[in-house]
């Protein structure tokens, strides 16, 4: 599950990534907006908690429910964020939700667009999803711009659909199918 772009490497985190993962979170600026989760306190970044994270991600991949890839720069091998396909459903939809988070020191450099485009192709070709959706809060202009710039189409507003920051929030839904990216859907053979 290693994917490479011009400037990035996307792959699952490994035990040897603990130091770069930890340092990346510690070196970020304080949160710049309500959607920015790129700053963490040191007590959340221990080797024990990192090992639990790796175990959880491995178990969810084995269940075909959640796939998260870390985003690393090619030139320095620096961990700069993550991208995921969540809540995967196989039955009749073969769909999943897209999530992405880039550490704020790396905003505005085009890394988000590069990572998301590559990851969507991974979802359609490797994971054999037919449809990917991104639910974005209506005021999250940066994320909406990213979704539009990579060709996701706006489908509408879901009212009070997620419980965040102590209250129910609306999400504007953006989506794409594999055909939108010129990829023919092939059904995943389940184990």
């Amino acid at each position: 599950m290693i994917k490479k772009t011009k400037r990035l490497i996307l792959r699952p985190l490994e035990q040897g990534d603990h130091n770069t993962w930890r340092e990346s979170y510690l070196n970020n600026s304080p949160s710049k907006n309500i959607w920015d989760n790129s700053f963490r306190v040191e007590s959340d970044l221990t080797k024990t908690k990192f090992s639990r994270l790796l175990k959880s991600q491995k178990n969810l991949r084995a269940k075909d429910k959640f796939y998260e890839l870390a985003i690393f720069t090619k030139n320095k091998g620096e961990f700069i964020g993550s991208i995921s396909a969540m809540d995967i459903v196989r039955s009749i939809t073969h769909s999943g939700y897209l999530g992405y988070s880039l550490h704020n020191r790396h905003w505005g450099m085009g890394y988000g667009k590069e990572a998301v485009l590559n990851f969507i192709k991974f979802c359609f070709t490797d994971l054999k999803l037919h449809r990917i959706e991104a639910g974005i809060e209506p005021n999250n202009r940066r994320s909406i711009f990213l979704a539009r710039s990579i060709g996701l189409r706006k489908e509408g507003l879901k009212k009070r659909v997620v419980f965040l920051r102590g209250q129910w929030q609306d999400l504007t839904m953006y989506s794409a199918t594999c055909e939108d990216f010129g990829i023919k859907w092939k059904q995943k053979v389940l184990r």
Side-chain angles (χ1 to χ4, degrees):
M1 280 198 300
I2 298 174
K3 298 296 171 188
K4 295 180 181 181
T5 70
K6 183 178 179 182
R7 301 179 297 162
L8 304 172
I9 297 172
L10 284 69
R11 63 170 175 78
L13 285 168
E14 300 170 352
Q15 198 65 47
D17 296 323
H18 176 256
N19 286 339
T20 187
W21 174 83
R22 180 182 170 279
E23 291 302 314
S24 184
Y25 279 113
L26 291 176
N27 290 326
N28 277 308
S29 304
S31 296
K32 294 183 177 186
N33 60 45
I34 61 173
W35 303 285
D36 181 5
N37 64 359
S38 58
F39 180 78
R40 304 257 177 97
V41 294
E42 197 158 353
S43 60
D44 289 336
L45 304 171
T46 65
K47 281 188 178 182
T48 301
K49 289 186 179 183
F50 184 71
S51 293
R52 282 188 208 136
L53 171 68
L54 296 184
K55 185 177 181 180
S56 173
Q57 288 180 353
K58 183 179 178 182
N59 289 339
L60 290 168
R61 280 193 305 269
K63 293 177 182 175
D64 193 39
K65 296 294 178 193
F66 178 86
Y67 295 83
E68 182 169 85
L69 299 182
I71 305 168
F72 295 90
T73 59
K74 265 188 183 176
N75 59 349
K76 294 182 181 178
E78 183 180 6
F79 172 70
I80 64 170
S82 59
I83 191 161
S84 58
M86 306 170 276
D87 300 332
I88 293 175
V89 177
R90 291 290 174 188
S91 63
I92 60 172
T93 63
H94 296 275
S95 63
Y97 288 96
L98 175 67
Y100 43 86
S101 176
L102 196 63
H103 295 184
N104 59 30
R105 290 183 301 121
H106 305 282
W107 289 1
M109 299 178 189
Y111 289 137
K113 183 175 181 177
E114 192 172 327
V116 173
L117 272 172
N118 191 271
F119 187 76
I120 287 175
K121 291 174 185 170
F122 163 76
C123 288
F124 293 145
T125 57
D126 295 56
L127 300 182
K128 308 284 192 260
L129 295 180
H130 178 256
R131 178 182 172 85
I132 194 86
E133 297 180 352
I136 304 171
E137 288 183 69
N139 292 326
N140 189 344
R141 297 185 199 288
R142 291 184 80 97
S143 193
I144 289 170
F145 177 79
L146 175 61
R148 287 181 175 162
S149 74
I150 61 169
L152 299 184
R153 75 180 150 273
K154 181 178 176 181
E155 291 196 332
L157 183 71
K158 282 186 166 182
K159 302 292 282 178
R160 294 175 297 282
V161 67
V162 291
F163 193 74
L164 300 170
R165 300 176 305 279
Q167 59 186 328
W168 289 100
Q169 304 290 338
D170 299 344
L171 293 180
T172 304
M173 301 307 297
Y174 290 83
S175 71
T177 63
C178 58
E179 293 90 354
D180 295 327
F181 282 78
I183 299 168
K184 184 177 179 181
W185 181 72
K186 294 180 182 174
Q187 187 168 0
K188 180 178 174 113
V189 178
L190 301 176
R191 298 182 232 168

